[in-house]
Amino acid sequence: TDPALIRNFCIIAHIDHGKSTLADRMLQLTGVVEQRQMRAQYLDRMDIERERGITIKSQAVRMPWAPTEGGDSGTAHILNMIDTPGHVDFTYEVSRSLAACEGCVLLVDAAQGIEAQTLANLYLAMENELTIIPVLNKIDLPAAQPEKFAAELAHLIGCDVEDVLKVSAKTGEGVDRLLDEVVKLVPPPVGVKEAPARAMIFDSVYDAYRGVVTYVKVVDGKLNKRERIKMLSTGATHELLEIGASSPEMTPSDGLAVGEVGYLITGVKDVRQSKVGDTITLLHKGATEALPGYSDPKPMVFSGLYPLDGSDYPELRDALDKLQLNDAALVYEPETSAALGFGFRVGFLGLLHLEVIRERLEREFGLALIATAPNVVYRVVMEDGEEPIVTNPSEFPTGKIAEVYEPVVRATLLAPSEFIGAIMELCQTRRGSLLGMDYLSEDRVELRYTLPLAEIVFDFFDALKSKTRGYASLDYEPTSEQSAALVKVDILLHGDKVDAFSAIVHKDKAYAYGVRMASKLRELIPRQQFEVPIQAAIGSRVIARETVRAIRKDVLAKCYGGDISRKRKLLEKQKEGKKRMKVVGRVEVPQEAFIAALSSD
Ligand code: GTP
């Protein structure tokens, strides 16, 4: 195709503002999916995505469109719609998808207005110098306030209020006009036809039947079927077994040229061999300079995952291996815990990533798991110059520590202005510092904060929602690290450390953490034959203490001496119960107690 007739665009929208519905409508209007094949949310493939209504993996669809009005009317164009993941954990993938586009549709619910995540992605799009088409969706809703939010969008982007399109993805109203505007406003891709081939990978997905399917945008030159290609970051070479475009089913072709977006298959089995952001070139007469912007995904949040039933350990390992085929950001290594047995320390991009992986392990692989409280990565500088990186709080060094560094993020919060006080108070207690504040409109405000990542990984989002009656939205991106007064708090049962409960917290919060854990455990741990002290300690200094009083448990007491078979049954039962007990030092702790103590309250 002549690059002048190609338009590559994406849709930026907050969850539930109607991106999938709009995409569906576009597929229908352009005729690539026939009415009878249409099912809601055609593009969201994974079950979990559909159920939770989040889009995790980005994809690209090719659609033909001939505008009905204006200078281009009647000329067939190719529109490539590149789907972007919507959640903050996947910012890196969003930025790669944006780099494959020349324009973006900013889709905002006309009854809600713009949200923090959308705003963050809008800024990314602006940095990438994409043409932005502002669109209000759901204008059919009685609660829609198109005039108010059109003014807000115009103010944000710096366009005229009249330039904000108004559509209903549900009824289809205004969607054909939107497609016309995409052709009119989004610039065609530019690239050098004669140059050595360079294509950027913006997504790669593992498919059980076909191996890794890699989504690319060809920037320069051409990739042809059967050619040998080279990955510039690793130098690995592969043969192009299949190349083509999705429309939306995969349709093979002879090759992809300048500006074209499509997929390729090389037979590799692991997405880490086809990394998002990497540049593909040809093995012979290939390019030597990579396209800008590649970086390895970096896990930000760690958690220990343990099978409830220790014999499931091999299954857990296999399941993680399988998930990693499709998730270059997932990292893990085996670890053992005195309290929880054999498991893995798993690294995630963020909390949503963690939740999704956990849910997939439980649902798709039928595993029952215990997860330790999520923690961030700490860089510790020792007085002797050593610099251990700590991903597991129980491995926090004990020697002379000079400094501890923790990751910090730049957070954007959006809310009605009546909640400014509540949000500031919350951020204050989470060790945040205010960077700036802007009014988007009379009654909506944007607050920017620097916050330690550790303060938001656990329950920040829930706290924010409850303090703002659900009206505030949050987005964050990792920025740097800061030195902080952090200490390790250990929890001891009868004098023995329970590794799974160790936590790294700010020294001002250590006491509260210790008291909370100790009292929680006192309620969860059953009485034993002896008294069990529960202590929270920093090093050798005890900061909180509770006691589980002793009992003398006689299971046979109720049997009045007579019935021997009944006695035996009771003894059997007691043995059963013991199996599910974990022993910490001399103390028997039921598995449920660990789970309950590790869950957030
Ligand atoms: P994610 O895939 O989770 O990012 O959400 P999304 O942005 O794709 O939203 P989705 O298309 O799933 O739409 C969310 C809800 O809004 C669904 O219940 C849609 O039926 C509804 N919806 C989407 N567009 C419209 C519209 O124009 N009018 C009305 N009334 N409802 C709409």
Side-chain angles (χ1 to χ4, degrees), residues 37 90 154 171 179 252 292 312 361 408 415 436 460 466 549 565 571 586:
Q37 290 178 322
F90 306 97
T171 67
L179 289 166
D312 282 344
L361 287 170
V408 290
F460 184 83
S466 77
R549 280 188 294 122
S565 73
L571 286 169
R586 287 175 59 207

Side-chain angles (χ1 to χ4, degrees), residues 16-21 41 53 55 137-138 140-141 168-170:
D16 280 347
H17 283 203
K19 185 169 77 179
S20 305
T21 311
Q41 307 212 336
T55 306
N137 186 30
K138 309 198 188 182
D140 59 294
L141 286 179
S168 165
K170 189 172 169 184

Side-chain angles (χ1 to χ4, degrees), residues 22 77 199 224 230 271 276 345-346 354 373 415 434 460 475 562 577:
L22 179 65
H77 285 70
N224 295 305
K230 185 165 102 176
V271 290
V276 172
R345 178 108 319 226
V346 188
L354 182 156
L434 184 65
F460 184 83
D475 189 67

